[in-house]
């Protein structure tokens, strides 16, 4: 199993920080579908995670 590239690790750390600050300071909740900022951030993280997984899978074959 290969370790994650530093860029993905940095993206993960930034997503964590945005999530914590958004939750504690702005009151963002991911079950709230009425907030487009929260939905956009969540979708961007999902797309990035899927793309990274596909990229690692294709790159290792």
């Amino acid at each position: 199993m290969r370790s994650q590239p530093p860029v993905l690790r940095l993206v993960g750390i930034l997503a964590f920080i945005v999530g914590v600050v958004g939750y504690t300071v702005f009151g963002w909740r991911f079950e709230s579908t009425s907030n487009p900022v929260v939905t956009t951030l969540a979708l961007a993280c999902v797309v990035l995670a899927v793309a990274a997984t596909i990229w690692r899978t294709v790159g290792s074959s």
Side-chain angles (χ1 to χ4, degrees):
M1 179 194 234
R2 298 182 333 194
S3 66
Q4 294 180 353
V7 173
L8 288 180
R9 202 169 299 129
L10 177 63
V11 169
I13 292 168
L14 289 174
F16 173 77
I17 291 170
V18 168
V20 169
V21 170
Y23 183 85
T24 57
V25 175
F26 299 114
W28 294 349
R29 304 293 184 264
F30 286 101
E31 68 270 3
S32 170
T33 58
S34 62
N35 189 339
V37 173
V38 173
T39 304
T40 302
L41 287 173
L43 286 175
C45 289
V46 168
V47 167
L48 182 64
V50 169
T53 301
I54 291 171
W55 180 57
R56 286 191 327 193
T57 303
V58 170
S60 65
S61 31

